[in-house]
């Protein structure tokens, strides 16, 4: 009876604490996923996905675009947030209001009220693309959380500790999963294993990840 009532009322998305400061809302954006992906396609028409070069001279296997007041970029001179797309020279497309609302709502449910994202980094993974273990520390306000939304093909996410030496745990992120990374988890090393092949009904042969950030 409890179960039936719980399912019928769906009071909150399924919540899994991952670590101190990190909360996974399993399927938290599944209903919005088609609208999110459609908006990503429109953003990518104005600001095409690009494989950026790292300061070390490697071309990233994931392709990147952004929306919002600032976008994360990389080239031989370093990583930074910039108001314009270096590919087009134009400002990044505006962040759609429902993107911001989704991220702000998820952050609040995870215990981070007042999240004010000014940047949404959009990563596209094709089979074989990966993200090696790293920390996100290019943002000015490291006290603010990062909110991530996964679309399309599933990925194996690596979640490590505060040092590179700590062995990362792996778990699956799927279409519509929302994760809030704040508090002590904000500076954790993390990455994504090479994407497996597949064909997703929404995105086709790729995974798209959105990360909402307070960059400035
Ligand atoms: C944990 N993106 O863009 S999202 C990134 O799936 C990035 O594309 C991955 O790492 C992706 O920088 C992971 C989940 C995520 C994002 C930021 C974090 C986890 C995080 C920041 C701190 C700790
Ligand atoms: Fe990251």
């Amino acid at each position: 009876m409890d179960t039936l009532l719980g399912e019928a009322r769906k009071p909150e998305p399924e919540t899994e604490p991952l670590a101190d400061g990190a909360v996974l809302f399993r399927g938290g954006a599944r209903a919005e996923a088609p609208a999110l992906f459609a908006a990503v396609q429109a953003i990518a028409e104005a600001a095409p996905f690009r494989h950026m070069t790292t300061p070390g001279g490697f071309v990233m296997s994931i392709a990147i675009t952004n929306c919002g007041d600032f976008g994360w970029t990389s080239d031989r001179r370093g990583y930074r947030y910039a108001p314009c797309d270096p590919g087009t020279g134009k400002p990044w497309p505006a962040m759609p209001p429902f993107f911001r609302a989704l991220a702000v709502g998820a952050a609040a449910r995870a215990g981070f009220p007042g999240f004010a994202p000014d940047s949404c980094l959009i990563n596209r993974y094709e089979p074989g693309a990966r993200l090696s273990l790293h920390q996100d520390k290019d943002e000015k306000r490291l006290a603010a959380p990062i909110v991530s939304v996964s679309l399309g093909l599933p990925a194996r996410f690596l979640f490590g500790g505060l040092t590179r030496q700590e062995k990362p745990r792996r778990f699956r992120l799927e279409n519509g999963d929302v994760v809030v990374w704040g508090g002590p988890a904000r500076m954790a090393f993390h990455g994504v294993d090479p994407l497996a092949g597949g064909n997703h009904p929404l995105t086709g042969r790729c995974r798209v990840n959105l990360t909402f950030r307070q960059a400035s």
Side-chain angles (χ1 to χ4, degrees), residues 131 134-136 146 190 211 213:
L131 198 54
H134 67 280
Q135 289 173 302
D136 288 20
I146 290 178
H190 58 279
T211 45
R213 299 146 185 272

Side-chain angles (χ1 to χ4, degrees), residues 109-210:
R109 282 205 303 278
F112 300 97
F115 183 46
D118 56 8
S119 173
C120 174
L121 168 60
I122 307 172
N123 295 334
R124 186 186 67 199
Y125 296 73
E126 280 166 341
R130 63 191 285 268
L131 198 54
S132 55
L133 217 55
H134 67 280
Q135 289 173 302
D136 288 20
K137 47 185 185 189
D138 302 323
E139 300 73 26
K140 285 225 174 78
R141 294 207 57 251
L142 297 175
I146 290 178
V147 176
S148 76
V149 180
S150 293
L151 300 174
L153 291 176
R156 273 215 316 201
F157 179 76
L158 285 74
F159 184 56
L162 296 176
T163 65
R164 200 178 275 287
Q165 283 65 40
E166 218 168 305
K167 187 178 146 72
R169 291 191 278 150
R170 282 178 163 76
F171 55 89
R172 202 172 138 100
L173 286 180
E174 290 180 40
N175 185 53
D177 287 349
V178 179
V179 193
V180 179
W181 315 88
R186 176 66 179 75
M187 292 315 288
F189 278 89
H190 58 279
V192 179
D193 273 341
L195 193 80
N199 194 353
H200 190 274
L202 178 61
T203 62
R205 299 179 190 287
C206 73
R207 166 177 189 259
V208 170
N209 183 265
L210 314 179

